[in-house]
Amino acid sequence: MRFIDEAVVTVKAGDGGNGIASFRREKYVPRGGPDGGDGGKGGDVYVIAEDNTNTLVDYRYTRRHDAMRAENGHSRNCSGKGSDDLFLPVPIGTTVVDTETDEVLGDLIELGQTLLIAKGGDGGLGNTHFKSSTNQAPRKATSGFEGELKVLKFELKVVADVGLIGLPNAGKSTFIRQVSAARPKVADYPFTTLVPNLGVVDIGRHRSFVMADIPGLIEGASEGAGLGIRFLKHVARTRRLLHVVDVKPVDGSDPVNNARVILNELERFSPELSNLPQILVLNKIDQMPEEELDELCTHIVAELDWTGDVFRTSTLMGEGTDAVKYHLMNEIELERERELEDPIFAEAQRTRFERLEVEVRLNTEAQREAYRAARRAAREGVDLNDDDDDFDDEDGVEVIYVP
């Protein structure tokens, strides 16, 4: 199944049923009076977060979803039956945006969470409501109200505690294979990973966190190079960024410059995102003689002016990866506990992630518009490199949480 992280859908809530004008008719009861019932209420449309789907691909093929219209009223003061509500399942981590107003209607980040996205119309009134001392046989009834019609955008961001970032072939996919049951493709060429890979890192009983391998970061990604920022938005929900750097790149490039490329792209794409806590992982230490390794690692840390945590690993051999995952688990648990105990800190965290969500969304839309403008220029004959179709969703696989 293809990995689709955006979809535009049209939803229509159910219309309300009409009220009716009716009069009581029974043997020996002349002039029984009005008994027209009200129309039923139209069905609402909800989205519900489920864990048995990890992609929005279904909404690329079925773009219109309508709730049923309610029944009209009946005689004998019987109201019409209301129609059932419509529930649209979406993956956990889906944001719903109104395309007309750009308003964020809600963010579904918990299993079973529901969000009302279109309200059904109320039913019309039967003629019983209009009787009075001066109008004892009203023939007036009202029609039901129309349900809401909305064009909405579903945006999926993977829900992970830790996001893996780094240049292609830095060892991110190998790292997530070592610490979790995820099995992403690993090969000795760039862009092996084309979609986010998720893995549950199990530390022990009741201790685990989710890690996401985010592909496509190269120099110029914030401006559309490579896979562009198509998947960079998926690190917007993470608590920590794990920056993996190859200490001995096979192409002979400078690991310091490689690390700066990623840091610069994060800053250009979202200053708020670049301020997330980062951990530096100096990877592939098995590729260097031990006598040179200390000097090189010290040089990298000094040149980057890195003040955060630093780890050395060989993801291929599994060396040093346990220390990283235990450190991450401890940091995440401390942060979760503080959020529960300190309301001020919890509110600051919530506000920060809200700012991050807004910044990421605006920057993603800005790049998309720039891309479309470039495509239009290309069709008009302007010379343009048209190789990086960032938003072509024809290739992809389903993102799967692996326990």
Side-chain angles (χ1 to χ4, degrees):
M1 186 180 292
R2 295 188 299 158
F3 174 64
I4 303 296
D5 56 3
E6 289 186 357
V8 177
V9 299
T10 301
V11 296
K12 174 69 168 63
D15 296 336
N18 298 327
I20 68 166
S22 173
F23 295 91
R24 182 182 175 193
R25 291 179 175 85
E26 294 182 26
K27 192 175 183 180
Y28 308 119
V29 184
R31 301 192 182 106
D35 69 348
D38 301 337
K41 180 185 177 302
D44 299 328
V45 182
Y46 293 85
V47 287
I48 181 169
E50 295 187 353
D51 59 356
N52 58 356
T53 177
N54 297 295
T55 174
L56 296 171
V57 65
D58 291 341
Y59 297 105
R60 282 296 181 91
Y61 297 108
T62 307
R63 297 176 180 265
R64 173 86 183 213
H65 301 271
D66 294 8
M68 297 294 292
R69 182 184 183 278
E71 288 185 357
N72 296 332
H74 303 282
S75 59
R76 299 185 180 182
N77 292 315
C78 293
S79 297
K81 181 181 178 181
S83 60
D84 294 334
D85 296 332
L86 177 63
F87 288 84
L88 303 179
V90 295
I92 299 172
T94 300
T95 301
V96 182
V97 182
D98 190 322
T99 59
E100 183 176 350
T101 63
D102 285 333
E103 176 189 2
V104 177
L105 301 183
D107 208 7
L108 291 90
I109 58 175
E110 297 179 359
L111 178 63
Q113 183 179 353
T114 59
L115 174 68
L116 175 65
I117 57 175
K119 187 173 177 57
D122 291 327
L125 300 178
N127 64 338
T128 304
H129 290 274
F130 301 100
K131 67 180 179 180
S132 66
S133 59
T134 58
N135 185 11
Q136 297 183 4
R139 298 182 180 276
K140 178 182 179 181
T142 60
S143 301
F145 293 88
E146 291 188 357
E148 290 183 322
L149 174 67
K150 292 185 178 180
V151 180
L152 304 174
K153 184 177 184 181
F154 294 166
E155 299 177 351
L156 172 62
K157 299 183 186 71
V158 297
V159 180
D161 299 294
V162 177
L164 279 170
I165 58 174
L167 288 180
N169 277 61
K172 304 186 298 298
S173 296
T174 309
F175 187 95
I176 200 171
R177 287 172 67 99
Q178 283 287 354
V179 300
S180 75
R183 290 295 177 264
K185 183 178 180 180
V186 174
D188 58 354
Y189 54 85
F191 295 106
T192 309
T193 305
L194 296 176
V195 295
N197 289 296
L198 296 177
V200 178
V201 182
D202 190 3
I203 302 299
R205 188 175 182 182
H206 305 306
R207 298 186 74 201
S208 65
F209 62 90
V210 179
M211 180 177 289
D213 174 13
I214 308 300
L217 281 183
I218 63 171
E219 187 170 8
S222 61
E223 299 173 357
L227 296 177
I229 57 171
R230 176 179 172 188
F231 298 120
L232 190 56
K233 64 185 178 183
H234 289 287
V235 299
R237 299 182 189 274
T238 59
R239 296 176 180 269
R240 295 287 186 278
L241 297 179
L242 204 61
H243 188 170
V244 182
V245 178
D246 185 350
V247 297
K248 192 67 173 178
V250 293
D251 60 0
S253 58
D254 184 2
V256 174
N257 291 336
N258 293 343
R260 285 174 176 162
V261 164
I262 298 298
L263 297 174
N264 290 339
E265 292 305 317
L266 288 178
E267 177 68 29
R268 290 173 184 170
F269 175 64
S270 168
E272 191 73 37
L273 182 60
S274 67
N275 288 330
L276 283 176
Q278 290 191 40
I279 297 171
L280 184 65
V281 175
L282 303 178
N283 190 33
K284 301 187 182 181
I285 58 175
D286 57 309
Q287 303 296 315
M288 292 195 61
E290 189 171 344
E291 57 273 13
E292 299 178 16
L293 183 61
D294 285 339
E295 182 179 352
L296 178 59
C297 291
T298 302
H299 169 74
I300 294 173
V301 172
E303 287 295 311
L304 293 175
D305 196 21
W306 195 270
T307 57
D309 297 308
V310 181
F311 290 88
R312 302 179 187 181
T313 64
S314 170
T315 54
L316 182 63
M317 308 300 294
E319 181 181 349
T321 55
D322 283 347
V324 178
K325 70 179 187 180
Y326 279 104
H327 174 79
L328 287 170
M329 187 74 263
N330 292 334
E331 290 288 308
I332 292 169
E333 286 179 336
L334 288 173
E335 191 168 288
R336 290 171 178 169
E337 291 173 2
R338 187 178 175 188
E339 288 174 353
L340 293 174
E341 298 171 357
D342 187 348
I344 297 177
F345 177 73
E347 178 63 22
Q349 287 283 85
R350 185 186 66 80
T351 303
R352 183 185 70 172
F353 281 110
E354 285 181 352
R355 289 198 310 266
L356 184 56
E357 287 280 347
V358 172
E359 193 173 78
V360 167
R361 180 173 296 106
L362 291 177
N363 290 346
T364 302
E365 288 299 324
Q367 192 203 45
R368 181 176 286 103
E369 287 303 318
Y371 172 77
R372 289 170 179 164
R375 295 279 289 183
R376 287 193 295 270
R379 287 194 296 268
E380 293 170 1
V382 179
D383 189 19
L384 180 70
N385 181 4
D386 193 31
D387 292 333
D388 36 313
D389 191 350
D390 301 341
F391 302 99
D392 182 2
D393 289 316
E394 293 305 314
D395 295 318
V397 295
E398 180 181 9
V399 171
I400 299 176
Y401 285 85
V402 183

